[in-house]
Amino acid sequence: MHTRLSTLWPPLALLGLTLFFFHGLAFTDHILARGDTYAYFYPYWHARNSALLAGQLPLWTPDLFMGAPLLANSQLGTFYPLNWPLAPLSPPDGIRISILLHVYLALVGTYLLACAVLPHTSGWRGTLPPLAAAVIFGLGGYLSAHIEQINQLQGLAWLPWLFLLYRRAQRAPGHFIPLLAAIIALQFFTGHTQTVFIGLVGLAVYGLTEVIPLVLVPSSISASEGQRLRPWKIMITRALLMVHPLLILATAAFIGLMLAAPQLIPTMELNSLSNRRGGLNPNEATAFSLNPLLIGRGMLPSYDSFVFAEYIAYAGVIGLGLALVGLFTRGRNQPPRAPWLALGVAGLFLALGEFNPLYWPLAGLPGFNFFRVPARWLALYALGGALLAGMGLQALLAAPPLRRWRLYSAVIAVTGGLAVASLLAIYAPQEVMGPAAPTSITWAGWGVALMVLLAGLALWRRISTPLLVGALVAELFLAAAILPYNLLVTPDTYTLPRFTTYQLHVYQQTQTPPGRILSISGLFFDPGDKATLGARYHHYGLSEQEIRLALVDTKMKEVLAANLPLIYGIPTIDGFDGGLLPTAHYTAFTSLLLPNGNMRTVDGRLREILAKPGCRGACMPPARWLNLTNTRYLITDKVYDLWHEGVAYDTQFTIPLAVEADYTLGRLPGFEANALDVLYSTGHDTAPLLQVIISHSEDPAETALEDSDQGTLIESFTRARFMLDAAVTPQHIRIRTDAPALLHALTLVDTRTGDFVQLAPEDWPRVLSSDIKLYENQAVLPRAFVVHEAHILPDHDMGTENALQMMQAQHFDPEQTVILNTSVTPATLTANTGQAGESQATITYYTAERVEIDVEAAVPGYLLLTDAFYPGWQASVNATPEAIYRADVMFRAVQVPAGRSTVIFDYRPFWRSALLPLGIGLWLVWGIVTAGIWGYKKRWQVSAASVRSD
């Protein structure tokens, strides 16, 4: 009974600590709603779970990036088994449970690893050192700071299990290599491949560090059974010692990647078209490196502010002190410290990234050049430090060293040095959430923790171990109070759509497929129901910081930011990713939408890029590209609307006024007004002479008006007010100028009542004015249409750049001409047929993976479908297979004959039908082989036991 209790209480204690630290997620219905969790993972989990519940694989979505693969994006975690039971739950609830499960998984794995590394000590105190190691890694700063990246957390949770099985595989390769391979595959299935790479490199460092002392000490290999080995045998033995751990690791990694083939195959296909194909350049690969100025803030806990999550890796002052004790204490039974020290040093060394001159050569190597954020190497520092801390606590159970003052000096010097270094954060304040320098609360926390640590070292042994473990838990718990996973909001922040969504669903009911949107907003506006929402959130007990977070989420829903359109089935030309999506073709094409001089986007986020103050909050892309991309709706906010003397002016659109070219508005609201206000600007000192010509229902004849305002200045604009003799309902407006000018706003005003109506360009009428402005593009091109002129360019990067150059020409009309990037020779592809008659294309059926289009072509031409070109899409014209060409950089085009045709696009990648059978088969073979190996071991043990008994 005593043995069973001593075995069960540590995992139960770890479970209790998980629920204690994550009590908000465990015992309330409040949810995470910050950063990537809200804007990235909730939408992707929604898409994945919806497909799985329908008995399908989530292969494709038309709602992001004008079409994008889903399954190929490993960050969805489609094949990760621990995600499957969560599919029926809402994404916030599923992620909540996954967080609790994987934190506990990390705690148990680290505990078992520490038990395997540390010498066993009988009694309940003997379980405290591995328990402390588990707490430091599983509940310390590094893992806790990555809670919001659920796939990264899932991968990190398996990290201690990798080291545990790798240790055992070095001693019994046949039995543990299959298990190690399975963990590598599971880690790959979580979707954070960088964590897999970090883990494999960490295992290599650990394995080599274990055998290097054996290789360097001649006495360890120079004799065998009393006979001295010859030099050449010693060299071979040394080489085998060095190769042995790497061979085990390579074998396990190979088997693991084979088991991960169902995810690896589509992901490698996506990689071939991503911005990361061929690797990132060194500047990209070193983005988000650990700034030395932030080491002090990241390596010590804070109680009132925190650095950027990627730079957090604290073990607490007590945990850091215990690691120093484990490093400097020497004893006869002390386990090897070098592998864990090497692991921690390697993690910190690589995390410095661009600030480490030796990292730059590594940044160009395969593996290192596939990933950004070198700071993530701190995972190895966190695990190595946790094991050293366990060794330190273990040392307290042994006899005290003779020179204890050395430990005091080391602990005070290191913690004091980091505390002083934390002051350097004032030179990088943008990376700190809150005060850049530690405040008095944080200094007090460090001081109390240091005194408890020194007291524990002074008391030593029986009294010190439970004291220090309890103090360690308390320190980490108090430090975690300000971490993002404790910023929780009510579930309606996710579940309740905003009015923009409802309105778009109404507009899109008759559209097949629904028209795309483009959202441009810096989220600087306040929701109209801010007071009501604030009162509700106060009622539910949310803090001021959590209320601000909930209001930001509300604004993101209002403008359908990031990946939120995926939840509501509203297609956008934008999206948010940072891994293998968006594709390089998307990045190239969207350069046409960006202001001159802007760097190309590699992660989408057009909403933020285009929301520049210099463009009054929205840099409008050229109309022809919005028309081509089927951008039917534009969402902006009202922050930059101008108010003057009680009249509002919508400055969203800038329209050039040319001499002898009237600007006309014909579709006007039925509003009675006696004045028209015009906001304009010029690039010269001479003011243009504007003339407004109005026709109205009371007098169909046109009436010419003159400016009666004489140039009132409103910010950087000039207002001209044109008065009517009497209030009328204008039906038609024309504006003339005698000098070039820029028209910024038109507003009809009834000066008798103060009422007014803002006017928008004829092609962009405003269809909703709430917290945001919603415009409808009246000149938008359909999602599919026929063109009769084509230019053919090679299908490579230079061909893409040439296509962009041709499209930027002023005379290029995407409605009439298509540019095809293809390796097909012109002999088999008719080009430059020219315009010849009217042709029509009607989409009759549209789903994520199948599109059916009826075509009526006057002459042979090209059907252009402005959905993303991607391998695996197949086309047929009148039931005959037809090649799909990459058109206008990123879309799909097929040749169509004259007359009526039915064109069908199907997403049927080569691996679609074989993926699941392949995965099931590989895992079935793995299970049979593993069961056979372990069954053989058990039979051998039984046989050996019977022989001994005889």
Side-chain angles (χ1 to χ4, degrees), residues 528-680:
D529 52 351
K530 177 181 178 181
T532 303
L533 292 174
R536 181 199 302 172
Y537 296 144
H538 273 296
H539 174 74
Y540 286 120
L542 270 62
S543 67
E544 291 300 322
Q545 192 173 3
E546 289 168 333
I547 291 175
R548 286 196 298 271
L549 174 61
L551 292 176
V552 170
D553 293 338
T554 299
K555 293 190 288 185
M556 293 185 71
K557 286 191 296 184
E558 195 72 78
V559 301
L560 291 165
N563 292 347
L564 295 181
L566 196 58
I567 298 174
Y568 306 114
I570 296 175
T572 175
I573 69 172
D574 197 7
F576 167 49
D577 213 291
L580 298 181
L581 284 175
T583 65
H585 296 149
Y586 176 89
T587 294
F589 176 83
T590 52
S591 67
L592 297 171
L593 280 63
L594 303 180
N596 290 334
N598 236 81
M599 292 184 63
R600 294 182 180 182
T601 174
V602 294
D603 53 5
R605 303 172 71 171
L606 297 176
R607 173 188 66 84
E608 302 163 63
I609 296 173
L610 295 173
K612 293 183 179 295
C615 303
R616 301 197 60 78
C619 296
M620 288 292 296
R624 55 178 169 169
W625 308 133
L626 296 179
N627 297 341
L628 173 63
T629 55
N630 191 229
T631 303
R632 182 175 291 273
Y633 300 100
L634 174 71
I635 299 174
T636 67
D637 58 46
K638 299 179 178 178
V639 173
Y640 288 91
D641 280 11
L642 290 180
W643 284 81
H644 183 71
E645 296 178 348
V647 178
Y649 302 95
D650 184 348
T651 62
Q652 193 65 77
F653 297 89
T654 298
I655 300 164
L657 297 178
V659 180
E660 298 180 358
D662 292 356
Y663 174 69
T664 302
L665 282 176
R667 291 190 289 267
L668 299 178
F671 178 76
E672 188 176 75
N674 62 1
L676 174 68
D677 285 358
V678 179
L679 255 59
Y680 68 92

Side-chain angles (χ1 to χ4, degrees), residues 11 45 56 72 89 163 245 261 280 313 399 623 808 830 835 856 867 876:
W45 276 49
Q56 301 171 350
L89 304 177
F163 282 86
L280 302 171
Q808 287 171 332
T830 305
Q835 173 115 19
E856 182 72 45
D867 284 358
S876 65

Side-chain angles (χ1 to χ4, degrees), residues 121-138:
T121 304
S122 60
W124 64 270
R125 286 186 179 85
T127 60
L128 290 180
L131 198 67
V135 167
I136 289 172
F137 180 73

Side-chain angles (χ1 to χ4, degrees), residues 34-47 64-65 70 73-76 91 95 148-151 191 556 561-564 566-567 575-582 603:
R34 202 183 80 100
D36 288 353
T37 301
Y38 187 82
Y40 184 85
F41 288 107
Y42 284 171
Y44 273 141
W45 276 49
H46 172 84
L64 296 180
F65 302 120
L70 285 177
N73 185 1
S74 62
Q75 298 197 76
L76 269 71
I95 287 179
E148 293 177 302
Q149 284 76 38
I150 183 61
N151 62 338
M556 293 185 71
N563 292 347
L564 295 181
L566 196 58
I567 298 174
F576 167 49
D577 213 291
L580 298 181
L581 284 175
D603 53 5

Side-chain angles (χ1 to χ4, degrees), residues 662-666 676 691-695 702-703 732-736:
D662 292 356
Y663 174 69
T664 302
L665 282 176
L676 174 68
Q691 185 183 45
V692 170
I693 301 171
I694 291 181
S695 64
E702 295 184 330
T703 303
H732 190 274
I733 296 175
R734 287 192 294 139
I735 298 177
R736 293 175 178 174

Side-chain angles (χ1 to χ4, degrees), residues 14 17 21 103 106-108 110-111 114 128-145 160 299 312-324 378-393 453 468-469 471-477 483:
L14 294 175
L17 287 173
F21 271 69
V103 169
L107 287 167
V108 173
T110 310
Y111 175 79
L128 290 180
L131 198 67
V135 167
I136 289 172
F137 180 73
L139 301 174
Y142 185 80
L143 203 71
S144 298
M299 300 304 171
I312 297 177
Y314 64 79
V317 172
I318 296 173
L320 179 61
L322 289 176
L324 293 172
L378 287 172
L380 303 182
Y381 167 85
L383 184 60
L387 269 294
L388 286 175
M391 294 177 188
L393 200 63
L453 173 62
L468 286 178
V469 172
L472 171 67
V473 170
E475 181 187 13
L476 294 179
F477 179 77
L483 290 180

